[in-house]
Amino acid sequence: MDLTDTPQEAEFRARLREWLAKALPSLPDRPSPDDWPGRRAYDLGWQRTLYDAGYGEVHWGAEPAVRMIFLEETEKAGAPYVGANFVGLLHAGPTIAAEGTEEQKARWLPPVLRGEEVWCQGFSEPDAGSDLAALRTRARRDGDDYVVSGSKIWTSHAEVADWCELLVRTDPDAPKHRGITWLAMPMDAPGITVRPLRTLAGSNEFAEVFLDEVRVPVANRVGAENDGWRVTMVTLSFERGTAFVGEVVACRRVLGELALAARENGRWDDPVLRRRLGRLNAEFRALWRLTQWNVSDSVPGVGGSVFKLRYSHARQELYEAAAEVLGDPAALDLEQPWVLDRLSSLSYTIAAGTSQIQHNIVAERVLGLPKGR
Amino acid sequence: MDLTDTPQEAEFRARLREWLAKALPSLPDRPSPDDWPGRRAYDLGWQRTLYDAGYGEVHWGAEPAVRMIFLEETEKAGAPYVGANFVGLLHAGPTIAAEGTEEQKARWLPPVLRGEEVWCQGFSEPDAGSDLAALRTRARRDGDDYVVSGSKIWTSHAEVADWCELLVRTDPDAPKHRGITWLAMPMDAPGITVRPLRTLAGSNEFAEVFLDEVRVPVANRVGAENDGWRVTMVTLSFERGTAFVGEVVACRRVLGELALAARENGRWDDPVLRRRLGRLNAEFRALWRLTQWNVSDSVPGVGGSVFKLRYSHARQELYEAAAEVLGDPAALDLEQPWVLDRLSSLSYTIAAGTSQIQHNIVAERVLGLPKGR
Amino acid sequence: MRFQLTEDQRALRTGVRELLTARFGRERLRAAMADAPALDRDLWRELGDAGFFALRLPEAAGGVGLGLPEAVLAFEEAGRVLLPGPLIATQLAAGTVPGAATGETVVTDVDTGGTVEWLAAADVVRGDAEGAVSVRSVDPLTPLHRVPVQDSGAAVDVPLKSLLTAAEQLGTGARVVELAVEHARTREQFGRPIGAFQAVQQLCAGMLVRVEVARAVVYAAAVTGDPADIAAARLLADEAAVHGARDCLQVHGGMGFTWESDVHLYLKRAWVRARRPGSVTECEELLAAGLLAEAG
Amino acid sequence: MRFQLTEDQRALRTGVRELLTARFGRERLRAAMADAPALDRDLWRELGDAGFFALRLPEAAGGVGLGLPEAVLAFEEAGRVLLPGPLIATQLAAGTVPGAATGETVVTDVDTGGTVEWLAAADVVRGDAEGAVSVRSVDPLTPLHRVPVQDSGAAVDVPLKSLLTAAEQLGTGARVVELAVEHARTREQFGRPIGAFQAVQQLCAGMLVRVEVARAVVYAAAVTGDPADIAAARLLADEAAVHGARDCLQVHGGMGFTWESDVHLYLKRAWVRARRPGSVTECEELLAAGLLAEAG
């Protein structure tokens, strides 16, 4: 059990720190959250900067421990997030890399790495949330095209994406996991309507995507027809080990800020609140160690659900504690720090598999309990 | 909404208080927990005292509000518990009263009320706990007798009982709820072996009862053959409204003692512990009010599972808080008050329907959610 | 002891529910979000006509002459539908502030400062609101101002306000159980209603338990007026509403996370109410001190 | 960073587990309950021969020359099987108290008083045990004495003891998950294994989560020796053991409530360990202060 960097890791970290110190001050200002074209340009620009500096492929090619250092150091330095490049770099890209033809890889991967094209994800549907495989968006073959109709929901960056990794049902008569196909859909195809979806936090982070007889070339299919579920599962676990590195680092920073704010406004003198913050320190220390443990594990996957269950709960607790630190009326003021984060955090126990489903996954797949209902 | 006694209730309460003040000082000393014959004699004696004073039928005949006053005042005065008379007064007795023939009532009820005969309960089996209807103790008809073989578990007072209310399977081919029969088994019949069952608290409060070809007269059957499940359900809800009155009163007394003990040993100065005790005060006040609400409800039953879920958890919390008040090493010392209670309280979320089952009952029967698994 | 609603109390509850259903249904709720920080004055006067604000005013003074239990039932109904406005301050001002009883005059209280609800919409502000700054309220249905804390300020009727707040929280808690159950019964995943899954059943059952336990002590506090009962009522009703709305959101999954769903409105209002005077710390300390006093 | 067990560490864990399985199986566990407060001296010496007590003693001093991570792995195994005796005090005394390293001498520590484990069985008592009074221990496998609290007393190696306690708790936490899962897989009610019910699945999954989160920080604390990591390890391992044993009992239902079941022994030992020096309050305050120091 070794928690120190290897010489190579230490060198990578040192080089990265040095580079970040130089690169970050010259970054343009962050666009406002509502400025989608601005966000696209900003995020693509950052990816291009990374690419030029030799970090373009860090999410794919690098060892998990190196990827972890990258995520840790960029977060600590306050560098931009992966943002609009999330699906391209961490989901559609790896899928294409693993399952695509040489031609497909050549077409789609370089623009992602060079920060030229943005991908979005068309998986969830209004009636297929936790039960993703129940998706109903239909695709019928017509010559060299699939003709796609249906709707998708919870799609980030749909407004500015060039491509959508799309799951469609190509065989309605097959068992639900066996009639699904993975397609790369150009977002400028006729028949696509993107409608912003306002969340309870008041933001338009997500969109609904309506598909009316959209033609997608058969050549854009990755993997075999009706094999899309397997194709997708290959990559769903791809980034599990390091997916939350940046977020855990961020939570620990927030926790420190909460302590300072509480000292500032006098609430630190309340032992109940103070001890609660101390307990959260234990929590996020442990989650950081668990991340390191999972990253070091040669068999990734098992740790993912365990981590997600605890982390999503802990992060909600963090913002509950933030409300106590803020007090009255700051805790109810959307202009105050952490208040919007508190609202956003409500999704953590829901998105990407509710905590209820995660418990089932742990019980059945990790503990080997009989399949429940 | 009226929380004050009616004139009749006030009179009953005043008379009872007066009587308790006179009757209790002349009671004999309580026997030790291991002295079963002593406990039998003590508990029967108390019931006889109540009977002579006109309170013998308070658990049956009285209005719920009057029964509640009786339970509240006896608990506050430190009177003996129902003890060995529990099954006779609160379970088998009411069952016989509701479903028995005139002859059966005349035979079995007066000795219970006069404190002459003790009943025990033979329901649970090693493989039929939460799933009580899965019970397997067999009874076959042989002339005017049933011949019973099998085993029962978690039977209180089996060592000193005269009668056992016994559920047996008379039709193994029927659906599980439809092949069960209710019998009154004399505990001196040949073929009965009682083996004390030691609990994790180290006590022998319960026993296992082994039945080897025990002959029970058909005349001892209450209700029709194979109708025992319905017969039992009639009375399972009988005492629900007031079942926990004494215990809630006792919990509130313990909570007050904890506060005094904490003030005594200095732990009261810890705001985390002090506020925890304050929160428990809210909890038990609410449970007391919920008891009053349920007792006043003309349609009893619905409130039972709701109450039990919260109460069993709250009482466990109470003894967890007691451990914090006791501190170190008193919390680990079986001679200290509350430490054995803490151990016993571990059963509350299990016995008479686990909290898991109670949640299901509330979800399906109260909220009308579809039947789950 | 007859600790259940009387016939009259049942009738009152039904009356208030029918009025609010008719006059403040879902469309009005969503419209009110656009209108805030203005109040629906017509509705306000209609509430006044129905006796909502004069409920506890003696008949001799032109009021309805009912008591705290009836007020609690009315505020529970208000909490069920997320009725907006400084309802509690206005009811408490009835008989003192002209027009409050009839719903003509909207009253809000500053108490000791901190947060003040509906400051801009109120006709009468009791207390010193100098230095008030508008806050971007987390609850789109409750405009808030920040007012400097006044240690010497007079907090009016804090236990009473705390009890009526508990009543509103109780109504919200009860309503979110219904919303969760409704959704769990109809929403299908994995080929069955999600309410058939024990994990969802446990969430819903837990919500109901919190509501029914809170209900018992809220009603009891209304009958006894005992400060410890009120503190307990407040603690448990806050929990029933906040935790309940949170669980309701969890049951709704992604569907509840949209602005179009009402679930978040219940949660946000419950948060706002939970921060009214009579904090968790104060209630717990009061109940702790009460233990020593009672146990002697 | 290679934060997984090395080959040597895996081998060590396997070795200790095999030794303990062979020498301290279920029958010995139950027999030890009858023997207490006496200790199985043969087993103690065998542990000594295997290097359990000399694990961290330098090779030059006749020890095994391993570090804290290896000690944590060994104590985790001890916690899995509820190995009785003052194991931590004796290992810490190795190299200082003659015979401790070999298991000849059983050592217990008084620290600052309060609770002392295995006082009667120990050959060497470090600290002032005057005024010790025997206590009827809740854990049938851990005899306890009450010793007057000595504010001036020297608490020896509290963080180290706290970490090794966390390791034992981790082992107990991991073992009770296995016991619960085993029972849930085989016990049938309502025509199916109870582990097929989501309510039971959620209990078991929750137990595993607590254990795996605790494991990460216990191991990390063994590597870093950082006081804040140790405090976090202690808090989360205590929780994994106590809450886990509690949930294991719940999964076992009535079957777990008997003296014959082992589940209660895990819970009781977890309670005893949770009260060792390094209280929840101390750990939480240390971690809170750490936040200011790090952020400040």
Side-chain angles (χ1 to χ4, degrees), chain A residues 126-127 129-131 154 198-200 316 323-324 328-329 331-336 342 346-347 349 356 373, chain C residues 115 135-138 146 187 189-190 192 197 199 203 246 250 253-254 257-259 264 267-268 271 275:
Chain A
D127 290 325
S130 293
D131 187 10
W154 304 118
R198 197 172 180 202
T199 70
L200 56 75
Q316 291 178 344
E324 290 313 302
D328 185 20
L332 305 173
D333 182 352
L334 291 169
E335 308 277 340
Q336 294 290 324
R342 185 188 188 193
L346 295 168
S347 72
T349 47
Q356 284 69 36
R373 289 295 170 83
Chain C
T115 314
V135 154
R136 199 150 77 86
S137 172
V138 72
R146 171 201 309 265
R187 168 79 173 171
Q189 292 279 277
F190 304 102
R192 73 192 63 205
F197 292 96
L203 278 176
R246 187 63 201 76
Q250 186 69 22
F257 201 68
T258 63
W259 188 262
H264 67 104
L267 178 60
K268 290 167 177 175
W271 279 349
R275 297 210 151 266

Side-chain angles (χ1 to χ4, degrees), chain B residues 126 131 198 200 328 334 349, chain D residues 115 136 187 190 250 259 268:
Chain B
D131 186 10
R198 198 173 180 204
L200 55 75
D328 185 20
L334 291 169
T349 47
Chain D
T115 313
R136 199 151 76 84
R187 169 78 173 173
F190 304 101
Q250 185 69 21
W259 188 262
K268 290 167 176 175

Side-chain angles (χ1 to χ4, degrees), chain D residues 26-77:
Chain D
R26 183 151 197 275
E27 325 71 56
R28 279 304 308 149
L29 174 73
R30 305 304 297 202
M33 289 166 65
D35 294 347
L39 266 183
D40 181 344
R41 293 296 188 138
D42 290 342
L43 171 58
W44 204 260
R45 271 185 293 271
E46 217 168 314
L47 288 169
D49 290 344
F52 187 94
F53 300 113
L55 202 64
R56 291 173 52 246
L57 206 60
E59 288 183 76
V64 187
L66 292 172
L68 212 41
E70 287 75 18
V72 158
L73 292 173
F75 276 93
E76 181 185 344
E77 294 303 316

